[in-house]
Amino acid sequence: METPTPDPLSGRTLHGRYVLGTRVRSGASGTVYAAQDLREERAVAVTVLHPWLMGNHGAVHAFLGRAQTLEAVAHPGLARVLAHGRDEAYVYAVAEYLRGETLAEVLGDGETLRYSPHMALSIVADVLAALDTAHRLGVVHGEIAPDKVVMDDGGRARVTGFPLLFDAAEDAGPDSRTDVRDVGVLLHRLMTGDSAVADEGRPLRPSAALPDLPPDLDMLVANATDPNPRYRPRDAGQYLTLVEQVMRSLPRTDRDREGDTRPIPVVADLPVESAAGAAGDGRSGAVPRWRRPPVLVAAGVLVLALFAAGWALVPAGGAALPDVLGSDPEAAEARLAELDLELVVAFDETYSDTEAVGSVADTTPEAGAELERGDEVMLWLSAGPQFAEVPDVVGGTENAARDALRTAGFTHIEVFQEHSAEEAPGTVLSTVPATGEEGDRAEAVTVHVSEGVIVPTLLGMGREEAGEALTGLGLVFEVAEAHHGTAPEGEVAGQTPEPGTILPEEGVVTLTVSLGPEPEDEETEEDGVGEPGEGSPSDDGGGRGEGGRGDGGRGDGGDGGDRGDDGWGNSGAASCAVAAWDGDIVYDTGDQVNYRGRVYEARWWIQGVPPTMGEEWGVWEDRGSC
């Protein structure tokens, strides 16, 4: 976040409601201002479209359309877009204003700082959980960076700065894999303190800066920052699964156990820091701060802004604290403001069986207590009942279990992996408390999941190196060889299944190893075989005897007499509506090819493996003859 500087628009009011303050930053979308919403009495952030784009109807339409789309995206870890509009010469969008420091501000530009691996993963998990909600709705961020992630006072990371316009010079807009790459770069920065970006040739590997890091952390960053988007996790949800698995297996340092969320200098040994000077957060610990309704953050900002600006002139004397139980936080604040005592109002959450979620369930001090000028009043907001029924998540995936438990109000979820001979890896085996039992929302729900092994990225490795990597993980590998237009001979040019897939122990990974480019003389020879009416006098129109390949006469050469395409006589090519299989092309889920007179559809990404070979492990689905 840039240092606020004066701006000609500061002080202007849009639609009689949003008073623009200082400029926060400027980008392709426009200029962002800290602002005040007079109607809702809260701090907001307003993005105003650049004046030179006002005459561009396409830019205006895209800006307002993107704002409208973002209004439907809601998650505690996102700065939500609240409204948009056009006031004469100004097109604008209004978003929630987040309190806290950005990661760019925390890490700074001076001393090189980094986080412990566990803390870095925790921050990235917060970011991915928020992005997962957006990706499920088909919305991408497109500009994830340290200045777009805000750390709140509870140590939680929240995402802000969704661009409302993207650079028109880009050939294609960002997608979910763009966000995954940017989060991978962020994770690399958090763990190493190095602000390097992913280059065009190789993925980032944090072990290059910190050799003692566990290899799983290298895998996480390398998978996300692979130059080829096809080899990255497909979206934030898939990458979050990998991050949480590694985080569970990672040992915690003393700093992690103490909940110290500050970055540390980049040194060989982790320094032992004194707890003195660490700011206590004063929370009850019953409910995490990230579950706080967005209006609470805005209301707190408003109160601090009012007092800091000196808007209240407070008389001497005291008054009794009114009974505000059951009130919404804005109404409770208004009643306290009427006392003219310059009270410091704070918010936190507590469980309540009687008050509605988000309303005032208790106060400190209690109603009727005598207040003096400048006293602090804590408004405890209801988070709902403390006990809830545990939903049935057994038999589903870990991600689905997390979603169901969070929907039921359980925010502390611990996952343990255990061996299962019956269930596929990643399947939920049981929960504690069990399905249907009453669970304490202040306690953790333990989810037991069938264990598995995460398939790493192997592309670009040598054959032996890739095999050793898989053997070391307890996986079995098979090798298929194929010509490849760009990968050098002996290098892994494809793998099945894709990186990030969870396999059981001794699960099979197929490596497609490059034989180098297709020899030109072989291509020429094959192009001349099987053309109609071009049979060799010596074979009398019969087959070549290898799988039925024949000349224009077609003959009865083996079992291929009725096949046609891709050098098999081409007699059926005219009836095939899809392109022939090409070993140099990377096919993704749903892509179709014709091969030896039949149509095949890819079930996930694949390269260099012909459909008849891929049938053995189900990567290609036979859709019938063409």
Side-chain angles (χ1 to χ4, degrees), residues 22-47:
T22 55
R23 180 172 66 86
V24 177
R25 62 175 176 267
S26 185
S29 304
T31 302
V32 182
Y33 297 88
Q36 193 73 20
D37 182 349
L38 299 179
R39 183 181 302 173
E40 298 293 336
E41 296 186 339
R42 60 184 175 187
V44 292
V46 176
T47 302

Side-chain angles (χ1 to χ4, degrees), residues 26-309:
S26 185
S29 304
T31 302
V32 182
Y33 297 88
Q36 193 73 20
D37 182 349
L38 299 179
R39 183 181 302 173
E40 298 293 336
E41 296 186 339
R42 60 184 175 187
V44 292
V46 176
T47 302
V48 181
L49 184 66
H50 292 307
W52 57 85
L53 294 175
M54 287 299 299
N56 185 332
H57 297 296
V60 172
H61 178 76
F63 182 100
L64 295 176
R66 168 85 164 167
Q68 184 175 12
T69 298
L70 289 172
E71 287 177 28
V73 182
H75 185 278
L78 295 176
R80 185 172 181 179
V81 174
L82 306 171
H84 64 281
R86 182 169 188 163
D87 183 2
E88 297 182 352
Y90 303 103
V91 173
Y92 65 91
V94 183
E96 181 186 0
Y97 185 88
L98 299 185
R99 285 191 301 169
E101 289 185 296
T102 67
L103 284 174
E105 293 170 327
V106 173
L107 296 174
D109 296 325
E111 180 183 22
T112 303
L113 301 175
R114 67 174 178 88
Y115 283 97
S116 69
H118 197 280
M119 188 61 200
L121 291 178
S122 178
I123 292 172
V124 164
D126 286 346
V127 172
L128 289 170
L131 290 177
D132 183 35
T133 295
H135 288 180
R136 289 172 186 265
L137 296 174
V139 177
V140 299
H141 189 291
E143 291 183 1
I144 290 293
D147 65 332
K148 303 296 174 62
V149 179
V150 175
M151 301 298 294
D152 67 16
D153 56 357
R156 287 281 180 172
R158 302 184 69 190
V159 178
T160 186
F162 274 76
L164 295 166
L165 285 177
F166 292 110
D167 189 351
E170 294 182 359
D171 294 334
D175 58 14
S176 58
R177 283 182 164 93
T178 305
D179 283 348
V180 168
R181 177 202 62 200
D182 291 345
V183 174
V185 173
L186 177 65
L187 178 57
H188 181 271
R189 169 76 183 277
L190 295 178
M191 289 193 296
T192 66
D194 183 3
S195 57
V197 298
D199 60 32
E200 296 297 325
R202 297 271 179 190
L204 292 175
R205 294 189 180 276
S207 62
L210 297 175
D212 293 335
L213 285 179
D216 281 351
L217 297 175
D218 252 9
M219 180 272 294
L220 277 180
V221 174
N223 277 359
T225 59
D226 194 292
N228 190 333
R230 291 179 181 269
Y231 304 142
R232 303 172 198 155
R234 64 177 176 270
D235 55 28
Q238 188 180 48
Y239 195 32
L240 177 60
T241 298
L242 302 180
V243 168
E244 289 177 330
Q245 287 178 337
V246 173
M247 189 160 54
R248 287 197 302 270
S249 64
L250 198 66
R252 297 193 180 193
T253 66
D254 291 340
R255 292 174 60 94
D256 297 327
R257 285 188 287 270
E258 293 169 2
D260 193 337
T261 61
R262 296 170 298 172
I264 57 178
V266 176
V267 292
D269 298 317
L270 188 67
V272 179
E273 296 188 13
S274 170
D281 60 13
R283 294 180 294 154
S284 64
V287 181
R289 288 183 180 269
W290 65 266
R291 289 181 47 80
R292 194 175 293 171
V295 68
L296 303 186
V297 180
V301 172
L302 173 61
V303 173
L304 294 176
L306 290 174
F307 293 151

